[in-house]
């Protein structure tokens, strides 16, 4: 599968939000940018096992706590029930806000909205969770 058209779509979306793609391109199919307090990763790849290409927009929210784990994970589940289009997952030891989908039929507008959504929710919940579980913003 030729991913070039999707790489270009990602760069067009970055331009749409005011980011010069060449300044945030890490490698082919990978970009890293900052929106507010969110460090966003945008990745496009082909999965041979599933024979499908995917796009992921993600950002680290917080490191999982060592204490109050039950309350923390319960709250993560409650938050996931309230937000839309993205979700928080644990990728040891981090809590990540992410959206993953197949690349087929995605357009620039959808990708722009997804980047904004990941950035906005990360910006909200990183500060909230840090304050609540660590006492710092």
């Amino acid at each position: 599968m030729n991913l070039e058209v999707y790489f270009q779509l990602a760069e067009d979306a970055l331009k749409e939000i005011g980011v010069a793609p060449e300044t945030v391109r890490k490698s082919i199919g990978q970009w890293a940018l900052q929106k507010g307090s969110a460090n966003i990763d945008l990745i496009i790849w082909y999965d041979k096992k599933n024979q499908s290409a995917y796009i992921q927009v993600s950002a680290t929210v917080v490191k999982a706590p060592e204490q109050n784990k039950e309350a923390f994970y319960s709250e993560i589940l409650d938050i996931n029930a309230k937000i839309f289009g993205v979700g928080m997952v644990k990728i040891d030891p981090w809590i990540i806000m992410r959206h993953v989908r197949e690349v087929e039929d995605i357009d620039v507008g959808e990708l722009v909205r997804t980047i904004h959504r990941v950035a906005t929710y990360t910006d909200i919940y990183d500060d909230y969770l840090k304050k609540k579980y660590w006492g710092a913003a």
Side-chain angles (χ1 to χ4, degrees):
M1 172 178 242
N2 183 357
L3 298 179
E4 290 298 323
V5 67
Y6 301 109
F7 297 159
Q8 185 59 55
L9 182 136
E11 297 209 342
D12 291 345
L14 292 170
K15 289 175 190 171
E16 180 97 8
I17 62 172
V19 175
E22 63 279 1
T23 65
V24 296
R25 189 182 309 117
K26 296 301 174 191
S27 62
I28 296 172
Q30 296 185 349
W31 300 263
L33 60 140
Q34 180 140 5
K35 297 292 284 175
S37 65
N39 293 312
I40 298 173
D41 292 309
L42 170 58
I43 303 169
I44 298 172
W45 77 99
Y46 182 77
D47 184 346
K48 290 180 184 177
K49 180 180 176 186
N50 294 325
Q51 296 185 344
S52 190
Y54 296 91
I55 188 164
Q56 174 176 289
V57 180
S58 62
T60 300
V61 181
V62 291
K63 189 173 182 179
E66 295 295 321
Q67 299 179 1
N68 300 320
K69 288 181 181 183
E70 186 175 334
F72 178 80
Y73 289 118
S74 178
E75 183 151 16
I76 295 296
L77 290 172
D78 289 343
I79 291 168
N80 276 342
K82 296 174 189 172
I83 61 179
F84 60 94
V86 298
M88 282 190 265
V89 298
K90 182 181 180 214
I91 301 176
D92 272 334
W94 303 100
I95 302 301
I96 308 294
M97 184 76 67
R98 79 174 185 175
H99 171 88
V100 180
R101 81 179 289 291
E102 291 85 358
V103 295
E104 286 80 22
D105 300 322
I106 193 166
D107 61 30
V108 170
E110 179 182 348
L111 186 51
V112 165
R113 290 186 299 276
T114 300
I115 292 168
H116 282 304
R117 191 173 298 124
V118 168
T120 299
Y121 284 139
T122 300
D123 223 7
I124 292 167
Y125 290 110
D126 63 355
D127 291 339
Y128 168 78
L129 292 168
K130 285 175 189 171
K131 185 175 182 180
K132 183 167 184 178
Y133 292 92
W134 289 272

